[in-house]
Amino acid sequence: MALRTILTDNDPALHKVCRPVTSFDERLHDLIDDLKETLAEANGAGLAAPQVGILRRVVIVVDDEDNMLELVNPEIISQEGEQEGFEGCLSVPGRWGIVKRPQKARVRAQDRNGNFFEVVGEDIVARCFCHELEHLDGHLFTEHADRLYTNEELDEMIQAQEEG
Ligand code: NI
């Protein structure tokens, strides 16, 4: 296992469409393990392969029980409801935006051995599914946000919300 470098927003790899995974081999397992280690080190909620420069359809999402879900060739097969909230990205450090997402999303994916499964996420996990899967098509959350906020502005807004 090894830590990989997380690319930031002007890197061309973040704006490309990733290819499906077709070989569920040791190379894929190494990539998944590295993504998990890199995500843990960065203390993030999710990480997609293109964020470390690998243009393959693989993402890791932290679920509401703190497990790292390994999603290979993931697709959102249904979604319902709506939520609006702050979103950030390890590839857009120190910037936050308000983004609308479904409240609930069901994903179909393959595991590291190619077996299909489905998983449902709500609230933050649904948000994370949408955010990470978009990375696989070269999109960033910043495309959905009217404006971006700094860490300081985010703190102030959260504090104001708590007080008000
Ligand atoms: Ni991201």
Side-chain angles (χ1 to χ4, degrees), residues 46-48 51 88-92 131-132 135 139-141:
L47 189 64
Q51 291 182 273
C89 178
L90 293 172
S91 292
V92 190
H131 177 116
E132 297 311 325
H135 273 297
H139 296 296
L140 299 178
F141 81 95

Side-chain angles (χ1 to χ4, degrees), residues 13-21 48-51 53-59 73 132-139:
L14 294 172
H15 303 282
K16 299 217 163 105
V17 176
C18 298
R19 294 182 304 272
V21 170
Q51 291 182 273
I54 305 294
L55 299 179
R56 288 287 180 179
R57 303 188 79 83
V58 179
V59 308
N73 299 328
E132 297 311 325
L133 267 63
E134 274 185 354
H135 273 297
L136 303 180
D137 290 316
H139 296 296

Side-chain angles (χ1 to χ4, degrees), residues 63-74:
D63 73 8
D64 43 19
E65 285 168 354
D66 253 359
N67 301 308
M68 287 193 185
L69 303 174
E70 306 174 1
L71 306 173
V72 179
N73 299 328

Side-chain angles (χ1 to χ4, degrees), residues 7 39 51 61 82 85 91 122 141:
L7 307 174
L39 178 59
Q51 291 182 273
V61 169
E82 194 175 81
S91 292
E122 294 187 49
F141 81 95

Side-chain angles (χ1 to χ4, degrees), residues 46-139:
L47 189 64
Q51 291 182 273
V52 299
I54 305 294
L55 299 179
R56 288 287 180 179
R57 303 188 79 83
V58 179
V59 308
I60 306 297
V61 169
V62 179
D63 73 8
D64 43 19
E65 285 168 354
D66 253 359
N67 301 308
M68 287 193 185
L69 303 174
E70 306 174 1
L71 306 173
V72 179
N73 299 328
E75 282 181 62
I76 292 174
I77 54 171
S78 70
Q79 55 185 54
E80 55 185 84
E82 194 175 81
Q83 56 170 319
E84 198 172 57
F86 275 105
E87 201 164 309
C89 178
L90 293 172
S91 292
V92 190
R95 291 288 182 274
W96 304 86
I98 297 171
V99 180
K100 242 181 227 167
R101 298 290 191 189
Q103 192 272 326
K104 192 170 171 181
R106 178 182 287 269
V107 170
R108 184 166 193 259
Q110 284 167 281
D111 68 14
R112 59 169 67 205
N113 298 312
N115 303 304
F116 282 95
F117 67 99
E118 290 183 12
V119 57
V120 177
E122 294 187 49
D123 304 320
I124 292 170
V125 181
R127 175 176 295 283
C128 201
F129 282 159
C130 296
H131 177 116
E132 297 311 325
L133 267 63
E134 274 185 354
H135 273 297
L136 303 180
D137 290 316
H139 296 296

